[in-house]
Amino acid sequence: DFAHNESNPLEAKVLIGDEESMKDTNLMSAVFAARARGTHVLLIGDVNQLPPVGHGAPLRDFIAAGLPYGELTTIMRNSGGIVEACAAIRDGKKWKADDNLIVTNSTKPDQQISEMLSILEKVRQEGKYDPIWDCQVLVAVNDKSPLSRKRLNEMLQSVLNSNPADKSSPFRVGDKIVNTQNSKFPLTDDCKGEGSTTLVANGELGEVIAVEPNRFIVELKTPKRTIVVPRGKPDPKADEEETGTGCSWQLGYALSTHKSQGSEWPIVITMIDEYPGARRICCREWLYTAISRAKVFCYLVGRKTTADMFCRNVAIGKRRTFLKQEILRLHAELLLEAL
């Protein structure tokens, strides 16, 4: 349950929400329920990215119903082939690899993995970017595929982190890890004082700086703070949506594209997965979101023909809701009352 609702609204004159394309109907409803009378609302998001994991597409429906909105046209995050391809994909047009967008056209998982590792090694040798913190591998599925998040994370941990493993923990000092649910964690004594906590968002990345029995210490970058994460016993039967680590954290060298929304990195390596489960869920919005996470270079590791096939699947258009019609109906009623 939320602390704020119709009976206890937020004390704010303006509510500003970011990454609003990710909010499903239930969460958007809860936000508006917590809005006090007279409070203005500004929603910021990109309807061309992946639709919410939950049901509905509220941001899309608000725009379709004619609510006032504006669109930014100046690209600030990236340029070159990345921007050109994203614009073409968004508009349902043919796109091509060019400039800072590179497609490898590899066909086999082992070949794709080898190319992924070669890219990271090239980044390390050139020395301009950090292969761990300035690069991000994006995947389609969490498990089962040879290119799944779980399998690639195990590999990348051993390749990118030379620190010794600890049998009592799935993490090593220096690991890049990601939180998987909004949670509060205790801050270490040198942050805010004993007993203080901080909220860590779903999808926030951190670095393991110490591993201890039944807990580990994580340094978060933005804003910078250091937290203590307690661990329980890992669940050996954890499904692909769970961490299996005894806590809400998991390795973050490879992330699902869904988890990457709202983030950006200088270099993004997107694995174009031929696994049937991946081909079922990948869509135009998936590719658009993955490519647009990159600021400097984006590598699509796989076949362009498969990526083109993804683009023919438009996920947002499959969301069938009546929110637009309901907004228009309510608007018409208000106009009649005003006459």
Side-chain angles (χ1 to χ4, degrees), residues 9-310:
L10 290 160
E11 295 182 2
K13 292 183 178 180
V14 179
L15 294 179
I16 301 176
D18 195 14
E19 299 296 335
E20 292 299 300
S21 64
M22 299 170 68
K23 275 194 175 74
D24 63 18
T25 301
N26 287 353
L27 186 54
M28 189 70 79
S29 176
V31 170
F32 277 89
R35 167 187 170 273
R37 183 179 294 274
T39 298
H40 296 277
V41 179
L42 174 62
L43 305 178
I44 303 171
D46 184 354
V47 292
N48 299 297
Q49 291 188 35
L50 283 161
V53 174
H55 68 100
L59 184 63
R60 176 203 67 177
D61 292 342
F62 291 160
I63 295 172
L67 271 64
Y69 80 99
E71 185 174 358
L72 299 178
T73 56
T74 302
I75 307 298
M76 304 298 293
R77 171 181 290 159
N78 36 39
S79 61
I82 293 173
V83 169
E84 293 170 3
C86 284
I89 291 168
R90 177 197 64 201
D91 297 337
K93 298 178 180 178
K94 291 184 178 180
W95 61 279
K96 63 179 181 178
D98 191 23
D99 189 24
N100 55 359
L101 175 63
I102 299 166
V103 181
T104 67
N105 277 315
S106 45
T107 59
K108 303 290 185 182
D110 56 349
Q111 183 184 8
Q112 291 172 269
I113 290 170
S114 177
E115 288 176 342
M116 173 193 71
L117 296 175
S118 295
I119 293 166
L120 292 170
E121 176 60 20
K122 179 183 176 183
V123 170
R124 186 192 67 80
Q125 291 181 357
E126 290 178 348
K128 187 176 181 180
Y129 297 104
D130 187 300
I132 297 177
W133 299 103
D134 294 328
C135 298
Q136 186 60 57
V137 176
L138 299 183
V139 302
V141 295
N142 290 306
D143 204 358
K144 298 179 181 177
S145 166
L147 302 180
S148 69
R149 173 185 57 78
K150 288 186 177 181
R151 295 195 188 185
L152 292 189
N153 267 321
E154 292 173 358
M155 179 183 301
L156 290 168
Q157 181 188 43
S158 64
V159 170
L160 296 176
N161 189 351
S162 60
N163 289 318
D166 187 325
K167 291 183 180 179
S168 67
S169 174
F171 304 123
R172 308 176 187 180
V173 172
D175 268 339
K176 178 182 182 179
I177 60 175
V178 61
N179 187 33
T180 62
Q181 62 184 38
N182 297 332
S183 307
K184 285 187 176 180
F185 293 95
L187 290 158
T188 56
D189 293 347
D190 58 346
C191 284
K192 294 289 185 180
E194 189 174 356
S196 297
T197 62
T198 185
L199 177 65
V200 182
N202 181 357
E204 193 165 349
L205 293 167
E207 179 180 0
V208 177
I209 60 173
V211 175
E212 303 172 4
N214 302 319
R215 72 176 199 169
F216 54 98
I217 313 299
V218 181
E219 183 177 271
L220 304 168
K221 309 295 184 182
T222 309
K224 188 171 182 179
R225 59 223 195 271
T226 307
I227 62 171
V228 179
V229 180
R231 286 185 59 245
K233 290 184 178 181
D235 182 3
K237 297 181 180 180
D239 65 26
E240 65 180 44
E241 296 298 329
E242 297 173 331
T243 64
T245 60
C247 61
S248 65
W249 293 78
Q250 60 195 15
L251 292 173
Y253 300 101
L255 297 176
S256 69
T257 299
H258 284 79
K259 188 69 72 179
S260 77
Q261 285 195 97
S263 301
E264 63 180 25
W265 297 269
I267 299 171
V268 167
I269 304 169
T270 299
M271 309 304 287
I272 305 299
D273 199 343
E274 304 282 348
Y275 169 65
R279 291 161 70 104
R280 281 195 298 272
I281 68 168
C282 287
C283 55
R284 178 186 298 175
E285 295 89 346
W286 184 90
L287 190 65
Y288 172 89
T289 302
I291 294 175
S292 60
R293 299 309 91 199
K295 295 176 64 177
V296 181
F297 278 100
C298 182
Y299 295 87
L300 298 182
V301 181
R303 296 193 300 174
K304 185 177 184 298
T305 53
T306 301
D308 287 335
M309 181 193 70
F310 294 166

